[in-house]
Amino acid sequence: MSATPLMIVVLAAGKGTRMKSDLPKVLHAVGGRSMLGHVLDLASASQAEKVAVVVGPAQDNVTQSALTIAPNVEVFVQENQLGTADALKAANKAIAAHSGDVIVLYADTPLIEPATIDRLRASLDAGASVAVLGFEAVDPTGYGRLLTDSTGKLIAIREHKDASEVERAIRLCNSGVMAFRVTDLVGVLARIGNANAKGEYYLTDAVEIIRTDGGDAAVVTCAEAEVLGVNSRVELAQAEAIFQRRRRRRAMEDGATLIAPETVWFSYDTVIGRDVVVQPNVYFGLGVRVEDGVEILANCHFEKAHIGKYARVGPFARLRPGASLGANVHIGNFVEVKNTEVGEGAKANHLAYLGDGSVGANANIGAGTIFCNYDGFFKHRTNVGAGAFVGSNSSLVAPVTIGDGAYIGSGSVITKDVASGSLALERATQEERPGWAAKFAIMMRKRKAAASKR
Ligand code: UD1
Ligand code: MG
């Protein structure tokens, strides 16, 4: 890692018209994290000392979001969108106050890896005054082309609209990421003009200016997928697909088995332990932590939940925010858990709703058990003690506490607390009439015969 102090400027001032959205483009999410969030995470992973974000006018939600993710960022407003150099100029005050490297990132390019930023900085350490992140485009249309000499040194960047036919045949393109180590970057930006096809101030023109001043320009390359820029919902889905491929691979490299990786969906903050087995069609929403040795059977949905060691969950289980499963817990099919702590070794194997409560260690929750947590106005808690047995099809009407080792007869509607070790039953006593069925059948056959004669 380079020893030179680093400042990162994130350009986020796009309108993102092609998203057809009320939300600014850079706040759209990939892997549950806004694209802006991904880029700010990259800045922090790259140990930037200073981070500036350039937003458009009337983009208070972008400013708010940036400050929430990284409270130390400085936000600058670019009043009119006159081009990428003009956008960077909006942060002139911060750039002038910084001595060291400056890296420019686009907030709509969320997939760049910290190692790539390190390679750009290594290129500056090796003597370049400007290093540009390039890639071989399958279809270079629209991108700025990197013009290099016979030794591979960067001479200039030519925007597509300004390029000649020969230049357009070049497939080495500008990703937009540029790293600068010049004493007066503000001065360089001031010299960039707008005499080009778009009439914009192009940041890419900095390359020729720096070279005129005797500086060296270098190209660092990466895969096209890493620098995918998002301008539409279709590209957003492409970015998501790339993100998911990476996260699946990382989970497997970290020791989890994904039987059908392409059907498992992660969030940016999913934590998965070793020897976890994930069957097909599992969705990890935000804030899920899975400890070692857990088995997740097919078709589950999780969000803000914790799954303890060696637990078994699913198939078809739903863990909602605040579900916390201890070690060796079993949560089976069609069981929903919300805001409930389930103690070590407890089981709820079939068809249950456990909401706003707690289940003690080794308790058994029978099929069809419901924690009736809501009275239409307030939520209340249900606490089931350690080793308790809740018979099938019981409704526990909160607030209610079932003591340790208590036993609830199936089909009960429990509205009062049950002491430890007690049996609680709430249903009519069973009645039995021996021989009744045969007598009933004789009577009914007679009635039927009489009716058919009429
Ligand atoms: C830019 C590069 C091009 C590169 C391509 C990669 C320039 C001149 N061209 O072209 O070489 O191949 O990205 O995708 O830099 N922005 C502002 N304010 C502005 C203009 C742009 O904040 O006034 C932001 C945009 O929100 C966007 C980024 O800068 O995030 C790039 O701008 P855009 O207009 O998309 O540039 P391209 O034409 O794609
Ligand atoms: Mg663009």
Side-chain angles (χ1 to χ4, degrees):
M1 174 98 43
S2 174
T4 315
L6 172 66
M7 170 177 181
I8 285 184
V9 185
V10 180
L11 303 190
K15 284 207 190 74
T17 326
R18 280 175 60 209
M19 296 297 281
K20 308 221 168 104
S21 174
D22 293 338
L23 193 68
K25 176 169 77 171
V26 300
L27 297 186
H28 282 262
V30 170
R33 179 74 149 166
S34 70
M35 294 194 274
L36 177 65
H38 282 282
V39 176
L40 291 175
D41 287 347
L42 173 66
S44 113
S46 305
Q47 287 165 25
E49 292 199 346
K50 211 194 246 188
V51 180
V53 179
V54 177
V55 304
Q59 286 195 324
D60 290 348
N61 44 0
V62 178
T63 302
Q64 273 320 310
S65 165
L67 291 171
T68 305
I69 295 163
N72 294 329
V73 299
E74 274 185 272
V75 178
F76 297 92
V77 178
Q78 182 195 21
E79 291 300 340
N80 300 301
Q81 296 190 256
L82 305 177
T84 44
D86 181 71
L88 192 56
K89 274 189 208 167
N92 261 349
K93 216 176 114 218
I95 296 168
H98 172 78
S99 64
D101 298 346
V102 175
I103 294 186
V104 179
L105 301 174
Y106 294 165
D108 67 356
T109 306
L111 299 169
I112 295 170
E113 310 244 33
T116 303
I117 299 298
D118 290 345
R119 287 195 293 129
L120 280 165
R121 303 195 71 200
S123 169
L124 299 179
D125 281 344
S129 299
V130 54
V132 174
L133 185 61
F135 64 100
E136 288 281 339
V138 173
D139 174 10
T141 312
Y143 288 117
R145 307 299 205 280
L146 300 185
L147 312 185
T148 51
D149 67 15
S150 55
T151 68
K153 262 202 183 135
L154 184 62
I155 298 166
I157 305 177
R158 189 80 71 238
E159 289 307 300
H160 182 89
K161 282 199 168 163
D162 303 297
S164 67
E165 278 312 307
V166 177
E167 288 166 342
R168 283 185 183 182
I170 296 171
R171 285 178 48 219
L172 184 62
C173 292
N174 174 24
S175 69
V177 179
M178 295 176 74
F180 297 95
R181 185 176 290 178
V182 289
T183 40
D184 182 20
L185 182 57
V186 169
V188 171
L189 297 177
R191 284 153 67 195
I192 293 175
N194 65 347
N196 51 53
K198 279 173 136 181
E200 284 188 1
Y201 296 88
Y202 289 164
L203 181 58
T204 45
D205 286 351
V207 168
E208 277 176 282
I209 293 172
I210 289 169
R211 280 176 46 85
T212 309
D213 291 350
D216 256 349
V219 180
V220 168
T221 55
C222 70
E224 183 164 11
E226 192 178 339
V227 287
L228 174 76
V230 173
N231 300 303
S232 66
R233 308 264 184 171
V234 172
E235 286 164 355
L236 186 68
Q238 287 167 350
E240 182 74 40
I242 295 166
F243 172 86
Q244 292 297 337
R245 267 202 301 277
R246 274 190 196 170
R247 281 304 272 101
R248 291 163 188 149
R249 168 172 280 272
R250 200 170 96 201
M252 292 186 279
E253 283 169 356
D254 289 349
T257 293
L258 309 184
I259 292 173
E262 64 287 358
T263 68
V264 177
W265 296 82
F266 289 106
S267 289
Y268 80 101
D269 62 351
T270 308
V271 178
I272 294 262
R274 277 163 64 104
D275 293 319
V276 169
V277 175
V278 184
Q279 289 189 355
N281 300 320
V282 175
Y283 184 89
F284 293 93
L286 289 172
V288 177
R289 190 157 58 87
V290 182
E291 293 193 35
D292 293 350
V294 166
E295 195 182 352
I296 298 168
L297 308 189
N299 301 303
C300 290
H301 191 284
F302 305 139
E303 198 189 346
K304 297 195 172 71
H306 166 237
I307 306 178
K309 281 191 177 174
Y310 307 109
R312 195 181 71 209
V313 182
F316 296 99
R318 179 169 183 204
L319 301 181
R320 290 173 51 205
S324 179
L325 313 184
N328 295 303
V329 161
H330 289 182
I331 295 294
N333 40 254
F334 309 109
V335 173
E336 174 178 338
V337 184
K338 185 211 69 167
N339 190 27
T340 293
E341 214 167 295
V342 183
E344 190 167 339
K347 295 188 176 106
N349 272 325
H350 341 259
L351 304 159
Y353 174 58
L354 313 180
D356 299 312
S358 66
V359 174
N362 300 313
N364 187 87
I365 305 292
T369 297
I370 305 292
F371 286 10
C372 308
N373 61 326
Y374 187 48
D375 58 16
F377 298 91
F378 296 102
K379 300 273 172 72
H380 303 281
R381 289 184 60 85
T382 301
N383 298 307
V384 174
F389 181 94
V390 178
S392 297
N393 201 28
S394 296
S395 301
L396 308 181
V397 182
V400 71
T401 295
I402 312 297
D404 291 351
Y407 199 104
I408 307 298
S410 48
S412 298
V413 178
I414 299 295
T415 54
K416 287 180 267 180
D417 289 355
V418 177
S420 295
S422 292
L423 166 69
L425 273 178
E426 191 282 329
R427 61 191 184 213
T429 312
Q430 187 167 323
E431 201 185 320
E432 183 163 334
R433 302 180 188 177
W436 179 91
K439 284 183 219 160
F440 179 70
I442 290 165
M443 180 186 81
M444 292 310 272
R445 274 191 216 112
K446 275 186 189 161
R447 246 186 230 180
K448 211 173 176 184
S452 67
K453 275 183 202 150
R454 254 190 256 131

